[in-house]
Amino acid sequence: MASTSADFPINDKRIINGWAIFDWANSAFALVITAAIFPAYFVAVTDEDLSVFGMEMSNSSLYTFAISASYFIIALFSPLLSGIADYGGRRKFFLKFFTILGSLSCLSLFFFKGMEQLELGTVGFMLSMIGFAGGLVFYNAFLPVIVTEDLYDRVSARGFSFGYIGSVILLIINLVMVQFWERFGFPDQGTATRYAFLSVGFWWIGFALIPFRRLPSDEKQKTSPEILRKGFQELKKVWGAVKGEQNIRAFLFSFFFYSAGVQTVLFLASTFASKELNFETSELIVIILLLQIVAILGAYSFARLSEWKGNKVSLIAMLLIWIAICVIGYLVQEKAQFYAIAAAVGLVMGGIQSLSRSTYSKLIPENSDDTTSYFSFYDVLEKVAIIVGTFTFGLMEQVTGSMRLSMLVLSGFFLVGLLLLLRVRVRATARPEV
């Protein structure tokens, strides 16, 4: 069994900060491309009704299907890749591969100007999504490699916080550039927007060079074609361990349900605000920035709570808040009320993502060499949860004609996740001294 080379210091601040900077690098894509700028640009530069592979669909449907297809592809292949990475000791190799794939694909979006480049824009967006999601499998798997268990919560929170800060900085720069395009010498706003895509690609690959240099090097043990068969064997072994470990299984089921709720809210919050409360684009931008900034506070606050009361208590508290958010979202009528809800989402958004990752790290058997394979299950569940959550939300809206009722359905996902979490036992760890 391969593992990352042990010739590096554990809990080294330089390595930890290098690991966290990867979140700074790739989170800009998640915020600027998938949430803030590209969705509106895609709809604006393409025809409202399209024919794709002989099927008639709207441009917004094509965009949604592109996201679903991207998540399906990476969910299908990431377990195999991570199994190979564990056996071949190639965490860093795949981290680099997906980062380069994602950033270069993001740069290609600069050439997406309209219907004549529809294929380029769609495929470029899908490949960048695959690069982003694929890299996270191997990024997460480095956490139990570079720090001891007592620092999982705090270091995980640091990574998310770096990501929020970096993405907000670049989003503000891009929004100023797009809003005041004439002052920057652009011929039109569309060109300024395409330069924003360029900035994300260069930001992503540029800052990723830092973790590439600082993270432990791979210890490659096998280079023969046998590595493919061994990858399947490693995956099968970890799957067998997960099935036989009731505690891990209960947490993964819990994570699946509440993650379906979390990710769906994050993907569709701006759509809900626009459709149900008539928010303007500028107001939606304020909401996105509010979510990101408050999430920094949430990540650290709930990490501290977990040190005081434990991960399970912190997660339970956040799930109760998520349930309240969905119920209040069903009732909200005023814009001011929605801003308050957005702030609450930001608070628990950062905390629940950070603590979910660190809690799962604590549930993985100690001294395991299969951390990447374990995290592949975690990662795939999250991706499938996105598909299930967003599909359920859209189906409910289509059947009932109300996004508000869909919010109530999401509260059910959180409730099921909460009930399953009550069965999970998380081992206590000593409080860190620093």
Side-chain angles (χ1 to χ4, degrees), residues 39 94 98-99 131 156 167 175 197 309 331 354 374 392 398 417 422:
F94 283 113
F98 281 109
T99 300
S156 181
S167 59
L175 289 176
F197 303 155
K309 290 293 186 180
L331 300 171
S354 173
Y374 273 101
T392 302
Q398 183 173 347
L422 295 176

Side-chain angles (χ1 to χ4, degrees), residues 160-328:
F160 277 106
S161 297
F162 272 41
Y164 295 134
I165 295 171
S167 59
V168 166
I169 290 174
L170 187 59
L171 176 61
I172 292 174
I173 293 173
N174 285 332
L175 289 176
V176 171
M177 184 170 67
V178 172
Q179 188 70 23
F180 303 101
W181 54 271
E182 291 177 308
R183 298 185 183 182
F184 287 89
F186 295 115
D188 51 59
Q189 192 174 60
T191 301
T193 302
R194 292 190 293 112
Y195 271 94
F197 303 155
L198 275 184
S199 71
V200 173
F202 284 121
W203 178 285
W204 189 352
I205 190 62
F207 282 107
L209 295 177
I210 297 175
F212 289 168
R213 291 178 61 88
R214 295 186 186 181
L215 288 174
S217 299
D218 291 336
E219 186 177 310
K220 187 177 176 183
Q221 290 189 349
K222 294 290 183 181
T223 58
S224 68
E226 188 184 43
I227 192 174
L228 183 62
R229 181 175 61 84
K230 291 296 184 181
F232 277 109
Q233 289 180 351
E234 291 304 310
L235 183 61
K236 183 178 179 180
K237 187 178 78 171
V238 175
W239 171 237
V242 169
K243 288 198 301 182
E245 186 66 46
Q246 182 178 353
N247 207 37
I248 296 179
R249 190 173 69 248
F251 176 79
L252 288 175
F253 277 120
S254 171
F255 172 75
F256 172 81
F257 280 100
Y258 71 68
S259 185
V262 170
Q263 298 299 329
T264 301
V265 170
L266 299 185
F267 270 112
L268 299 175
S270 60
T271 304
F272 179 89
S274 176
K275 186 172 182 178
E276 295 291 336
L277 299 173
N278 299 316
F279 270 75
E280 301 293 335
T281 301
S282 59
E283 295 172 310
L284 293 174
I285 292 170
V286 172
I287 289 177
I288 292 172
L289 290 173
L290 177 64
L291 286 173
Q292 298 297 310
I293 294 172
V294 177
I296 300 171
L297 173 63
Y300 274 107
S301 297
F302 282 102
R304 295 290 185 177
L305 178 60
S306 71
E307 292 173 8
W308 179 38
K309 290 293 186 180
N311 291 52
K312 186 173 178 178
V313 171
S314 297
L315 288 171
I316 289 173
M318 285 185 283
L319 290 178
L320 290 173
I321 294 173
W322 275 109
I323 292 172
I325 287 171
C326 292
V327 174
I328 296 173

Side-chain angles (χ1 to χ4, degrees), residues 67-82:
I67 295 176
S68 301
S70 300
Y71 275 105
F72 176 79
I73 292 171
I74 194 60
L76 187 64
F77 287 102
S78 64
L80 172 61
L81 291 174
S82 58

Side-chain angles (χ1 to χ4, degrees), residues 119-142:
E119 294 83 1
L120 171 65
T122 304
V123 174
F125 173 66
M126 290 176 62
L127 289 176
S128 59
M129 286 284 292
I130 291 171
F132 171 78
L136 288 179
V137 178
F138 304 96
Y139 168 65
N140 288 337
F142 267 107

Side-chain angles (χ1 to χ4, degrees), residues 9-185:
I10 300 294
N11 297 341
D12 181 80
K13 289 185 178 180
R14 185 172 182 273
I15 294 176
I16 290 172
N17 287 332
W19 178 82
I21 287 173
F22 185 82
D23 221 323
W24 172 289
N26 74 344
S27 291
F29 169 81
L31 182 63
V32 177
I33 300 298
T34 65
I37 297 180
F38 187 75
Y41 178 83
F42 185 92
V43 173
V45 301
T46 56
D47 295 341
E48 184 174 356
D49 297 310
L50 305 171
S51 178
V52 181
F53 299 119
M55 297 182 293
E56 299 297 325
M57 64 181 68
S58 66
N59 50 9
S60 58
S61 294
L62 175 59
Y63 178 78
T64 302
F65 293 149
I67 295 176
S68 301
S70 300
Y71 275 105
F72 176 79
I73 292 171
I74 194 60
L76 187 64
F77 287 102
S78 64
L80 172 61
L81 291 174
S82 58
I84 296 173
D86 262 337
Y87 177 74
R90 308 190 73 181
R91 294 184 186 91
K92 199 170 185 178
F93 171 84
F94 283 113
L95 183 69
K96 290 181 178 180
F97 171 80
F98 281 109
T99 300
I100 293 172
L101 171 66
S103 58
L104 291 181
S105 300
C106 185
L107 291 173
S108 74
L109 296 178
F110 174 77
F111 302 100
F112 174 40
K113 301 178 181 180
M115 285 298 298
E116 292 184 0
Q117 300 84 29
L118 178 63
E119 294 83 1
L120 171 65
T122 304
V123 174
F125 173 66
M126 290 176 62
L127 289 176
S128 59
M129 286 284 292
I130 291 171
F132 171 78
L136 288 179
V137 178
F138 304 96
Y139 168 65
N140 288 337
F142 267 107
L143 178 61
V145 173
I146 63 174
V147 297
T148 51
E149 187 176 295
D150 60 303
L151 289 178
Y152 283 174
D153 295 345
R154 190 171 295 184
V155 173
S156 181
R158 181 179 300 186
F160 277 106
S161 297
F162 272 41
Y164 295 134
I165 295 171
S167 59
V168 166
I169 290 174
L170 187 59
L171 176 61
I172 292 174
I173 293 173
N174 285 332
L175 289 176
V176 171
M177 184 170 67
V178 172
Q179 188 70 23
F180 303 101
W181 54 271
E182 291 177 308
R183 298 185 183 182
F184 287 89

